[in-house]
């Protein structure tokens, strides 16, 4: 975990250095946003704590561990996907190579946490599937709440860096498949309930993906029409 933290900081260093030397962003605005975001802080438990059934943060350190390893498994894979796609749209071979290298690290991070979570599923299937279900249904990236977060999220979705379909098909489903979530037979009553709840959530998400894409296609068509009319 220490090594993971050190590597994440290295990603931050290289991305910031690249943006400063290429004048890619306003470094003062970047630093101000960083100060606001770091001062707000982040906690997986703040996100899921009040939504987790029977969870008491003062007495359940093992449950806290399960939420954390489930969360970082999905979150590291999400960074792998978004860094890789960011490299592609940068239109700069250096940025593409740099982000591919970062994405390779993120993949290793994901595998580490995915293995921990897989072992947890074998040891304590019901507890672990409940944590996974809560995390999947309340998932947010660590950048949530930082200045410009919503606007930037919309831009990322619009340009194919990270959207709802990628979240479902490239992040959630491959990990759940790897853990054999829907084929396991070691769940008790609690675990079965969580698994059914998770399956229903994924079905709703599939519907949202289609609605989002229809909306996006309509807005792109409108923009193309406006451009055509102004020529
Ligand atoms: Fe990472």
């Amino acid at each position: 975990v220490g090594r993971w933290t050190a590597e994440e900081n290295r990603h931050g260093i290289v991305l910031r250095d690249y943006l400063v030397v290429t004048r890619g962003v306003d470094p003062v605005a970047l630093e101000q946003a960083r100060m606001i975001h770091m001062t707000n802080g982040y906690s997986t438990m703040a996100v899921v704590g009040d939504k987790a059934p029977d969870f008491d943060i003062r007495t359940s350190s093992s449950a806290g561990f399960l939420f954390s390893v489930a969360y970082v498994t999905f979150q590291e894979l999400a960074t792998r996907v978004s860094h890789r796609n960011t490299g592609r749209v940068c239109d700069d071979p250096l940025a593409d190579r740099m982000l591919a290298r970062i994405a390779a690290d993120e993949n290793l991070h994901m595998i580490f946490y995915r293995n921990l979570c897989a072992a947890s599923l074998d040891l304590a299937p019901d507890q672990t599937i409940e944590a996974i279900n809560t995390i999947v249904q309340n998932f947010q990236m660590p950048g949530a709440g930082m200045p410009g977060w919503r606007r930037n999220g919309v831009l990322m979705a619009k340009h194919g860096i990270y959207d709802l379909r990628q979240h479902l098909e490239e992040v959630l489903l491959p990990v759940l498949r790897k853990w054999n979530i829907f084929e396991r037979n070691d769940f008790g009553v609690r675990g079965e309930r969580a698994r059914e709840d998770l399956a229903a959530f994924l079905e709703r998400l599939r519907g949202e993906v289609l609605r989002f894409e229809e909306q996006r296609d309509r807005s792109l068509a409108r923009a193309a029409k406006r451009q055509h009319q102004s020529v």
Side-chain angles (χ1 to χ4, degrees):
V1 171
R3 171 81 195 207
W4 169 58
T5 314
E7 288 184 5
E8 294 296 4
N9 190 38
R10 190 151 67 182
H11 298 165
I13 292 167
V14 75
L15 287 168
R16 184 177 179 282
D17 286 355
Y18 174 84
L19 290 170
V20 171
V21 298
T22 58
R23 302 285 192 271
V25 296
D26 174 353
V28 175
L30 180 66
E31 180 59 10
Q32 281 164 351
R34 192 183 73 83
M35 287 304 274
I36 293 169
H37 189 54
M38 293 307 291
T39 307
N40 287 341
Y42 178 83
S43 160
T44 306
M45 294 325 300
V47 176
V48 303
D50 56 336
K51 291 165 185 127
D54 313 321
F55 181 75
D56 183 342
I57 198 164
R58 290 157 302 181
T59 55
S60 305
S61 59
S62 64
F65 168 81
L66 294 175
F67 285 112
S68 295
V69 289
Y71 176 74
V72 283
T73 303
F74 296 113
Q75 181 261 323
E76 292 296 322
L77 185 50
T79 59
R80 182 190 102 182
V81 170
S82 60
H83 283 317
R84 193 72 201 84
N85 292 334
T86 303
R88 288 205 189 98
V89 301
C90 275
D91 200 22
D92 172 8
L94 189 75
D96 193 32
R97 238 172 51 224
M98 181 180 82
L99 284 157
R101 180 64 184 76
I102 293 176
D105 276 357
E106 305 294 22
N107 196 49
L108 292 172
H109 298 165
M110 179 275 288
I111 291 169
F112 172 64
Y113 290 113
R114 194 183 63 192
N115 286 343
L116 286 183
C117 212
S120 306
L121 270 169
D122 292 342
L123 285 169
D126 283 4
Q127 256 185 304
T128 309
I129 184 66
E130 282 184 339
I132 291 168
N133 181 36
T134 303
I135 288 296
V136 168
Q137 295 208 30
N138 299 285
F139 186 82
Q140 275 189 328
M141 287 301 276
M146 72 187 294
W149 171 253
R150 278 187 63 86
R151 201 183 134 265
N152 290 334
V154 170
L155 282 175
M156 286 169 73
K158 216 166 131 183
H159 294 281
I161 291 170
Y162 200 81
D163 64 19
L164 212 49
R165 181 182 291 277
Q166 286 161 321
H167 182 60
L168 176 66
E169 293 180 358
E170 294 177 41
V171 174
L172 297 181
L173 295 181
V175 169
L176 295 172
R177 253 197 306 272
K178 195 82 186 168
W179 288 332
N180 274 326
I181 291 297
F182 295 105
E183 286 81 39
R184 307 179 72 97
N185 52 17
D186 52 356
F187 291 133
V189 177
R190 277 173 55 188
E192 286 294 353
R193 204 183 307 138
R195 171 159 65 182
E196 278 167 28
D197 196 46
L198 178 62
F201 173 80
L202 294 171
E203 239 352 89
R204 287 197 298 277
L205 200 59
R206 249 184 271 277
E208 275 175 49
V209 166
L210 295 176
R211 271 195 301 282
F212 166 77
E213 288 180 344
E214 279 166 19
Q215 239 170 34
R216 177 169 64 182
D217 292 349
R218 271 203 302 274
S219 107
L220 287 173
R222 270 199 305 274
K225 200 171 152 194
R226 268 199 304 276
Q227 206 170 27
H228 183 74
Q229 281 165 348
S230 66
V231 173

